Amino acid sequence: GVNIHKPNIGMPCSNTVCATWNKDLGYRIGQVIAEEAKENDIQMILAPAMNIHRNPLNGRHPEYFSEDPYLAGMMAGYQNKGLEEHGVSGSIKHVVGNNCESSRKRNQSIVTERALREIYLKVFEVSMSVHQPDSMMTGYNAVNGCFTAEDEEMIRGIFREEFGFEGFVMTDWNSYDTADVAAAVRAGNCWMTPGTGDDTYVTPIVEGVESGKIELERLKENVCRILAVVEKRTGQKISKK
């Protein structure tokens, strides 16, 4: 449900909802979450989380939907549709292959291309065929030698070009503990979460642009992706100069 520090509506965990095979129920749960979020002045829910149930020791399974990518994708897609059609942004996560909760910022999933396509990425592809989300969140983990936050082929190649994703990309909280900030921005990450009030995570971006590691147009594109969602949700035009 809505993660706030006061009593509020507690929804069944995602795998319980998914076990109903009821798309309308998934949609209505998204709707209720959105209505309560708006009552509490919350504009975005960092969900649905839809990684595949592959490792029984993964502590996030209650919020993930299923071991089946089609079922999980359909149910998560309808929940996100219910959420966003009632005025609150969602963020599909954790892209991709987040199979272990322990040492999440340092673990790595070694996956064949076929399994990646037919299992791990398929759940997101199915979900996005139901509803295109405002945002997606990369995982802490690496996949086949590359941190997901730094994976340009995945973010820009698969999600943007193949799946048609137009929203903005955020990292998981404090991913920059292990992932390189400039590399993540170059890969297409729009928001390095949560950031700080000083220049700690601004400086590597500025240095990346100055050194040529980050193209200025890529940085501008990333920022504009966020502003487009802000415009969509507020109805206010924002200058992108």
Side-chain angles (χ1 to χ4, degrees):
V2 183
N3 187 12
I4 51 179
H5 299 292
K6 65 179 183 180
N8 66 308
I9 301 171
M11 293 294 175
C13 60
S14 297
N15 53 21
T16 301
V17 174
C18 192
T20 68
W21 294 51
N22 188 327
K23 295 182 291 186
D24 181 61
L25 177 64
Y27 180 92
R28 287 187 287 129
I29 285 175
Q31 176 183 346
V32 172
I33 293 173
E35 290 170 349
E36 185 173 36
K38 287 192 293 184
E39 289 175 1
N40 288 277
D41 197 29
I42 294 172
Q43 294 79 38
M44 169 174 275
I45 300 294
L46 301 180
M50 60 185 83
N51 287 79
I52 294 297
H53 292 193
R54 297 286 283 173
N55 184 337
L57 300 180
N58 189 340
R60 299 297 282 271
H61 278 346
E63 74 172 304
Y64 295 159
F65 281 76
S66 174
E67 75 281 2
D68 181 88
Y70 182 78
L71 175 61
M74 291 297 288
M75 292 296 291
Y78 275 96
Q79 181 170 314
N80 199 43
K81 183 179 174 71
L83 182 73
E84 294 199 343
E85 287 189 349
H86 290 85
V88 175
S89 295
S91 182
I92 61 174
K93 63 182 187 180
H94 304 86
V95 178
V96 62
N98 181 51
N99 292 339
C100 181
E101 188 67 9
S102 299
S103 302
R104 290 172 69 205
K105 294 181 181 179
R106 293 173 177 82
N107 69 47
Q108 177 172 198
S109 297
I110 305 300
V111 188
T112 66
E113 183 177 359
R114 180 177 180 182
L116 192 62
R117 287 285 188 169
E118 296 183 3
I119 300 173
Y120 292 92
L121 287 167
K122 180 61 70 175
V123 60
F124 293 98
E125 182 181 11
V126 171
S127 173
M128 293 168 77
S129 73
V130 174
H131 179 80
Q132 281 286 339
D134 283 352
S135 176
M136 63 177 255
M137 180 190 291
T138 54
Y140 289 127
N141 59 294
V143 175
N144 297 338
C146 182
F147 281 113
T148 60
E150 301 177 7
D151 196 336
E152 182 176 3
E153 181 180 359
M154 180 188 67
I155 294 171
R156 295 183 58 80
I158 295 175
F159 276 81
R160 293 223 184 273
E161 295 180 15
E162 294 187 31
F163 297 169
F165 176 62
E166 295 290 339
F168 71 88
V169 182
M170 70 173 79
T171 67
D172 205 343
W173 258 232
N174 301 107
S175 288
Y176 35 64
D177 289 346
T178 47
D180 180 74
V181 171
V185 172
R186 185 180 66 235
N189 268 284
C190 310
W191 178 20
M192 308 299 297
T193 65
T196 62
D198 56 26
D199 290 338
T200 301
Y201 304 110
V202 175
T203 299
I205 297 175
V206 174
E207 292 175 347
V209 173
E210 292 174 343
S211 68
K213 191 173 183 179
I214 303 171
E215 293 182 4
L216 182 58
E217 289 306 310
R218 176 66 51 81
L219 179 60
K220 289 180 177 179
E221 177 189 339
N222 293 348
V223 173
C224 286
R225 297 280 189 182
I226 298 178
L227 295 180
V229 173
V230 174
E231 287 183 346
K232 171 185 174 182
R233 292 298 172 190
T234 64
Q236 298 179 3
K237 190 69 176 177
I238 300 173
S239 173
K240 299 184 178 66
K241 291 183 180 179

PDB file of all heavy atoms in Angstrom, residues 191-206:
ATOM      1  N   TRP A 191      17.377   9.960 -12.795  1.00  0.00           N
ATOM      2  CA  TRP A 191      17.385  10.404 -11.404  1.00  0.00           C
ATOM      3  C   TRP A 191      18.246   9.441 -10.607  1.00  0.00           C
ATOM      4  O   TRP A 191      17.951   8.252 -10.526  1.00  0.00           O
ATOM      5  CB  TRP A 191      15.951  10.441 -10.855  1.00  0.00           C
ATOM      6  CG  TRP A 191      15.836  10.848  -9.413  1.00  0.00           C
ATOM      7  CD1 TRP A 191      16.764  11.526  -8.662  1.00  0.00           C
ATOM      8  CD2 TRP A 191      14.732  10.591  -8.536  1.00  0.00           C
ATOM      9  NE1 TRP A 191      16.297  11.710  -7.381  1.00  0.00           N
ATOM     10  CE2 TRP A 191      15.057  11.153  -7.271  1.00  0.00           C
ATOM     11  CE3 TRP A 191      13.494   9.961  -8.692  1.00  0.00           C
ATOM     12  CZ2 TRP A 191      14.196  11.083  -6.182  1.00  0.00           C
ATOM     13  CZ3 TRP A 191      12.654   9.898  -7.611  1.00  0.00           C
ATOM     14  CH2 TRP A 191      12.982  10.456  -6.370  1.00  0.00           C
ATOM     15  N   MET A 192      19.329   9.979 -10.017  1.00  0.00           N
ATOM     16  CA  MET A 192      20.193   9.190  -9.142  1.00  0.00           C
ATOM     17  C   MET A 192      19.641   9.326  -7.729  1.00  0.00           C
ATOM     18  O   MET A 192      19.839  10.344  -7.070  1.00  0.00           O
ATOM     19  CB  MET A 192      21.632   9.708  -9.212  1.00  0.00           C
ATOM     20  CG  MET A 192      22.190   9.821 -10.626  1.00  0.00           C
ATOM     21  SD  MET A 192      22.253   8.236 -11.497  1.00  0.00           S
ATOM     22  CE  MET A 192      23.407   7.343 -10.467  1.00  0.00           C
ATOM     23  N   THR A 193      18.929   8.330  -7.272  1.00  0.00           N
ATOM     24  CA  THR A 193      18.204   8.449  -6.005  1.00  0.00           C
ATOM     25  C   THR A 193      19.078   8.116  -4.800  1.00  0.00           C
ATOM     26  O   THR A 193      19.951   7.249  -4.914  1.00  0.00           O
ATOM     27  CB  THR A 193      16.986   7.520  -5.992  1.00  0.00           C
ATOM     28  OG1 THR A 193      17.452   6.164  -6.033  1.00  0.00           O
ATOM     29  CG2 THR A 193      16.060   7.765  -7.153  1.00  0.00           C
ATOM     30  N   PRO A 194      18.815   8.738  -3.640  1.00  0.00           N
ATOM     31  CA  PRO A 194      17.935   9.888  -3.466  1.00  0.00           C
ATOM     32  C   PRO A 194      18.638  11.221  -3.709  1.00  0.00           C
ATOM     33  O   PRO A 194      18.006  12.266  -3.689  1.00  0.00           O
ATOM     34  CB  PRO A 194      17.513   9.761  -2.001  1.00  0.00           C
ATOM     35  CG  PRO A 194      18.713   9.177  -1.331  1.00  0.00           C
ATOM     36  CD  PRO A 194      19.314   8.232  -2.343  1.00  0.00           C
ATOM     37  N   GLY A 195      19.962  11.183  -3.898  1.00  0.00           N
ATOM     38  CA  GLY A 195      20.707  12.418  -4.043  1.00  0.00           C
ATOM     39  C   GLY A 195      20.978  13.058  -2.689  1.00  0.00           C
ATOM     40  O   GLY A 195      20.619  12.523  -1.644  1.00  0.00           O
ATOM     41  N   THR A 196      21.642  14.198  -2.725  1.00  0.00           N
ATOM     42  CA  THR A 196      21.950  14.924  -1.493  1.00  0.00           C
ATOM     43  C   THR A 196      21.702  16.411  -1.697  1.00  0.00           C
ATOM     44  O   THR A 196      21.482  16.862  -2.830  1.00  0.00           O
ATOM     45  CB  THR A 196      23.432  14.740  -1.088  1.00  0.00           C
ATOM     46  OG1 THR A 196      24.262  15.277  -2.129  1.00  0.00           O
ATOM     47  CG2 THR A 196      23.770  13.284  -0.871  1.00  0.00           C
ATOM     48  N   GLY A 197      21.763  17.150  -0.613  1.00  0.00           N
ATOM     49  CA  GLY A 197      21.572  18.599  -0.704  1.00  0.00           C
ATOM     50  C   GLY A 197      22.819  19.338  -1.122  1.00  0.00           C
ATOM     51  O   GLY A 197      22.787  20.559  -1.314  1.00  0.00           O
ATOM     52  N   ASP A 198      23.947  18.613  -1.279  1.00  0.00           N
ATOM     53  CA  ASP A 198      25.183  19.259  -1.736  1.00  0.00           C
ATOM     54  C   ASP A 198      25.541  18.747  -3.131  1.00  0.00           C
ATOM     55  O   ASP A 198      24.696  18.183  -3.820  1.00  0.00           O
ATOM     56  CB  ASP A 198      26.317  19.013  -0.737  1.00  0.00           C
ATOM     57  CG  ASP A 198      26.545  17.520  -0.483  1.00  0.00           C
ATOM     58  OD1 ASP A 198      26.227  16.699  -1.369  1.00  0.00           O
ATOM     59  OD2 ASP A 198      27.048  17.183   0.609  1.00  0.00           O
ATOM     60  N   ASP A 199      26.788  18.918  -3.519  1.00  0.00           N
ATOM     61  CA  ASP A 199      27.203  18.559  -4.879  1.00  0.00           C
ATOM     62  C   ASP A 199      27.848  17.179  -4.977  1.00  0.00           C
ATOM     63  O   ASP A 199      28.508  16.874  -5.973  1.00  0.00           O
ATOM     64  CB  ASP A 199      28.189  19.607  -5.415  1.00  0.00           C
ATOM     65  CG  ASP A 199      27.516  20.936  -5.697  1.00  0.00           C
ATOM     66  OD1 ASP A 199      26.281  20.941  -5.885  1.00  0.00           O
ATOM     67  OD2 ASP A 199      28.219  21.965  -5.734  1.00  0.00           O
ATOM     68  N   THR A 200      27.656  16.344  -3.968  1.00  0.00           N
ATOM     69  CA  THR A 200      28.324  15.041  -3.951  1.00  0.00           C
ATOM     70  C   THR A 200      28.082  14.246  -5.228  1.00  0.00           C
ATOM     71  O   THR A 200      29.010  13.660  -5.796  1.00  0.00           O
ATOM     72  CB  THR A 200      27.852  14.209  -2.740  1.00  0.00           C
ATOM     73  OG1 THR A 200      28.139  14.930  -1.541  1.00  0.00           O
ATOM     74  CG2 THR A 200      28.551  12.862  -2.704  1.00  0.00           C
ATOM     75  N   TYR A 201      26.842  14.217  -5.692  1.00  0.00           N
ATOM     76  CA  TYR A 201      26.520  13.425  -6.876  1.00  0.00           C
ATOM     77  C   TYR A 201      26.262  14.280  -8.106  1.00  0.00           C
ATOM     78  O   TYR A 201      25.956  13.752  -9.180  1.00  0.00           O
ATOM     79  CB  TYR A 201      25.326  12.514  -6.569  1.00  0.00           C
ATOM     80  CG  TYR A 201      25.603  11.634  -5.378  1.00  0.00           C
ATOM     81  CD1 TYR A 201      24.948  11.826  -4.159  1.00  0.00           C
ATOM     82  CD2 TYR A 201      26.578  10.646  -5.447  1.00  0.00           C
ATOM     83  CE1 TYR A 201      25.245  11.043  -3.057  1.00  0.00           C
ATOM     84  CE2 TYR A 201      26.884   9.863  -4.345  1.00  0.00           C
ATOM     85  CZ  TYR A 201      26.214  10.067  -3.153  1.00  0.00           C
ATOM     86  OH  TYR A 201      26.522   9.299  -2.059  1.00  0.00           O
ATOM     87  N   VAL A 202      26.415  15.588  -7.931  1.00  0.00           N
ATOM     88  CA  VAL A 202      26.353  16.496  -9.080  1.00  0.00           C
ATOM     89  C   VAL A 202      27.732  16.603  -9.718  1.00  0.00           C
ATOM     90  O   VAL A 202      27.866  16.598 -10.949  1.00  0.00           O
ATOM     91  CB  VAL A 202      25.853  17.897  -8.652  1.00  0.00           C
ATOM     92  CG1 VAL A 202      25.922  18.863  -9.826  1.00  0.00           C
ATOM     93  CG2 VAL A 202      24.436  17.811  -8.104  1.00  0.00           C
ATOM     94  N   THR A 203      28.762  16.683  -8.884  1.00  0.00           N
ATOM     95  CA  THR A 203      30.136  16.858  -9.375  1.00  0.00           C
ATOM     96  C   THR A 203      30.551  15.790 -10.383  1.00  0.00           C
ATOM     97  O   THR A 203      31.092  16.116 -11.447  1.00  0.00           O
ATOM     98  CB  THR A 203      31.122  16.878  -8.187  1.00  0.00           C
ATOM     99  OG1 THR A 203      30.804  17.984  -7.337  1.00  0.00           O
ATOM    100  CG2 THR A 203      32.559  17.009  -8.684  1.00  0.00           C
ATOM    101  N   PRO A 204      30.300  14.478 -10.129  1.00  0.00           N
ATOM    102  CA  PRO A 204      30.693  13.492 -11.135  1.00  0.00           C
ATOM    103  C   PRO A 204      29.943  13.635 -12.451  1.00  0.00           C
ATOM    104  O   PRO A 204      30.457  13.253 -13.509  1.00  0.00           O
ATOM    105  CB  PRO A 204      30.376  12.147 -10.485  1.00  0.00           C
ATOM    106  CG  PRO A 204      29.774  12.407  -9.162  1.00  0.00           C
ATOM    107  CD  PRO A 204      29.794  13.870  -8.907  1.00  0.00           C
ATOM    108  N   ILE A 205      28.726  14.191 -12.406  1.00  0.00           N
ATOM    109  CA  ILE A 205      27.985  14.415 -13.656  1.00  0.00           C
ATOM    110  C   ILE A 205      28.608  15.568 -14.433  1.00  0.00           C
ATOM    111  O   ILE A 205      28.837  15.474 -15.648  1.00  0.00           O
ATOM    112  CB  ILE A 205      26.499  14.697 -13.359  1.00  0.00           C
ATOM    113  CG1 ILE A 205      25.849  13.484 -12.692  1.00  0.00           C
ATOM    114  CG2 ILE A 205      25.756  15.056 -14.641  1.00  0.00           C
ATOM    115  CD1 ILE A 205      24.413  13.707 -12.241  1.00  0.00           C
ATOM    116  N   VAL A 206      28.911  16.660 -13.731  1.00  0.00           N
ATOM    117  CA  VAL A 206      29.559  17.801 -14.378  1.00  0.00           C
ATOM    118  C   VAL A 206      30.907  17.386 -14.963  1.00  0.00           C
ATOM    119  O   VAL A 206      31.236  17.702 -16.113  1.00  0.00           O
ATOM    120  CB  VAL A 206      29.746  18.957 -13.373  1.00  0.00           C
ATOM    121  CG1 VAL A 206      30.562  20.085 -13.999  1.00  0.00           C
ATOM    122  CG2 VAL A 206      28.396  19.475 -12.900  1.00  0.00           C
TER     123      VAL A 206
END
